[in-house]
Amino acid sequence: MNWVPEVASNLASKVDAVIWFITVISLVFFILISIFLVYFAIRYRRRQENEETPYITGSHVLETIWTIIPSILLIVIFVYGFVVYKDMRTPPEDSLEVTVIGRQWLWQFKYNNGKTTLNELYIPEGRPIKLVMTSEDVLHSFFVPAFRVKQDLVGGMYTYLWFTPTKTGTYELYCTEYCGTGHSTMLGKVIVMSPQEYEKWEKGEEEKAVASLPPAELGKQLYTQRGCNACHSIDGSSLVGPTWKGLYGHEVVLQDGTKVTADENYIREAILEPQAKMVKGFGPVMPSFKGVISDDEISDLIAYIKTLK
Ligand code: CUA
């Protein structure tokens, strides 16, 4: 049975240790107090009518003991927690920095080599990572359970967190601050690679294993990878944005009442400049994907939309 999530960062075991420490202390006292409670209830129950309890005055020894022991325990818990907290708030000097931008409803990551990724954070194993984070709109919160790190993203200021990933693999990233309709779909992945793999990725030499897939298949992957699914359904239902089902080749009514046909150029413009031709009945909430996704990816998405009849 897994009591806690997987341990995949240097901080995870420290956080777990504090939690177990407090849990065990609480459990020991809970059991002790419960046993005494039941014992006293039976031992000193009323046995006959008119039974009088003896008059007992306070005991300084007892009161001193039950004041000092819990005080010491609380101080130990505080100091232990504070030491770990301080460690978690102090990134090492040689940390690898990645900028994180949260917006309704996707994660954007910017790397030193100029790369930008959406909803997927790529980092090397065994190196301290410092995330410098901000929001373009409302509050979001970056949470990776396997790393035991969580931090709010706030518009107009930078917040940060750090950790050293200790295991290669893919880990879940959640937004844990309610940020509107698409909050529950504001999910991402953290991909921890070996240092060699990361070096290749940084230089853009990673193998394009997916390049052999047909464009519509790639588009289908991008639909979730790029966070389109937060606002656009593929089953005809209206979410925050219009559905993609039956979109291609059909007429779309715009806010000013004019109609346009949703062809390749319309979809391309809608991705790059979402506010240029607003669809009637929907608000101006979509961020521009200019500079965030490539022309290739736009073509793949269009190919995918064409299959959604
Ligand atoms: Cu972003 Cu919840």
Side-chain angles (χ1 to χ4, degrees):
M1 183 155 80
N2 286 329
W3 291 87
V4 289
E6 195 178 351
V7 169
S9 85
N10 65 320
L11 302 173
S13 43
K14 295 180 188 179
V15 172
D16 289 356
V18 176
I19 287 174
W20 284 121
F21 179 68
I22 297 171
T23 306
V24 167
I25 289 179
S26 308
L27 264 178
V28 166
F29 278 90
F30 170 73
I31 291 167
L32 253 169
I33 289 167
S34 300
I35 289 172
F36 276 114
L37 190 78
V38 173
Y39 172 74
F40 287 147
I42 295 169
R43 175 76 176 76
Y44 298 105
R45 71 188 186 280
R46 194 162 86 156
R47 288 162 207 259
Q48 61 204 45
E49 286 288 308
N50 304 324
E51 192 176 330
E52 270 196 30
T53 47
Y55 181 70
I56 300 169
T57 53
S59 156
H60 287 301
V61 178
L62 209 56
E63 281 175 26
T64 309
I65 290 173
W66 78 43
T67 306
I68 288 179
I69 291 179
S71 300
I72 290 173
L73 275 175
L74 285 180
I75 290 166
V76 170
I77 289 172
F78 168 75
V79 171
Y80 187 15
F82 184 74
V83 167
V84 173
Y85 176 76
K86 191 142 185 304
D87 191 14
M88 295 179 79
R89 297 307 299 160
T90 315
E93 289 282 311
D94 60 340
S95 299
L96 180 67
E97 278 193 26
V98 180
T99 304
V100 182
I101 297 158
R103 48 187 204 195
Q104 289 170 315
W105 285 278
L106 52 88
W107 300 100
Q108 190 176 342
F109 303 103
K110 288 185 176 170
Y111 306 83
N112 292 338
N113 63 355
K115 276 199 185 194
T116 296
T117 59
L118 287 179
N119 290 341
E120 285 175 350
L121 171 62
Y122 293 87
I123 44 173
E125 179 202 359
R127 223 176 127 183
I129 311 292
K130 181 180 176 189
L131 301 181
V132 180
M133 316 198 285
T134 191
S135 167
E136 280 194 355
D137 36 54
V138 299
L139 290 180
H140 301 278
S141 186
F142 182 99
F143 179 38
V144 181
F147 299 164
R148 309 289 191 279
V149 291
K150 186 192 276 194
Q151 174 64 50
D152 275 13
L153 287 76
V154 185
M157 66 178 278
Y158 292 97
T159 54
Y160 69 94
L161 56 75
W162 85 275
F163 55 87
T164 302
T166 50
K167 257 167 84 181
T168 57
T170 303
Y171 304 98
E172 305 288 339
L173 155 65
Y174 297 92
C175 178
T176 64
E177 179 77 57
Y178 181 69
C179 54
T181 318
H183 163 69
S184 60
T185 51
M186 193 167 164
L187 306 169
K189 298 241 181 290
V190 181
I191 294 118
V192 179
M193 303 186 276
S194 68
Q196 300 87 323
E197 260 182 288
Y198 183 76
E199 211 178 308
K200 274 195 204 163
W201 179 85
E202 228 185 352
K203 291 184 194 142
E205 290 169 4
E206 79 273 18
E207 286 159 46
K208 291 240 167 16
V210 288
S212 53
L213 283 174
E217 281 298 309
L218 290 172
K220 191 178 178 181
Q221 292 179 359
L222 291 169
Y223 171 65
T224 44
Q225 280 172 2
R226 296 295 182 253
C228 315
N229 60 330
C231 305
H232 300 283
S233 81
I234 51 169
D235 62 2
S237 58
S238 269
L239 303 175
V240 177
T243 184
W244 283 3
K245 189 187 164 89
L247 172 66
Y248 182 78
H250 289 86
E251 278 197 334
V252 175
V253 183
L254 302 182
Q255 246 158 20
D256 58 4
T258 55
K259 288 178 183 170
V260 292
T261 301
D263 58 7
E264 283 87 350
N265 283 317
Y266 167 80
I267 295 173
R268 184 187 158 81
E269 186 187 46
I271 293 170
L272 297 177
E273 282 171 64
Q275 265 66 275
K277 293 196 177 91
M278 296 281 306
V279 178
K280 199 173 180 152
F282 295 95
V285 292
M286 179 163 159
S288 166
F289 282 76
K290 202 177 254 174
V292 175
I293 74 173
S294 67
D295 284 351
D296 267 2
E297 289 175 325
I298 293 175
S299 302
D300 296 338
L301 279 168
I302 293 172
Y304 175 53
I305 293 172
K306 284 179 182 173
T307 66
L308 303 166
K309 290 188 179 118

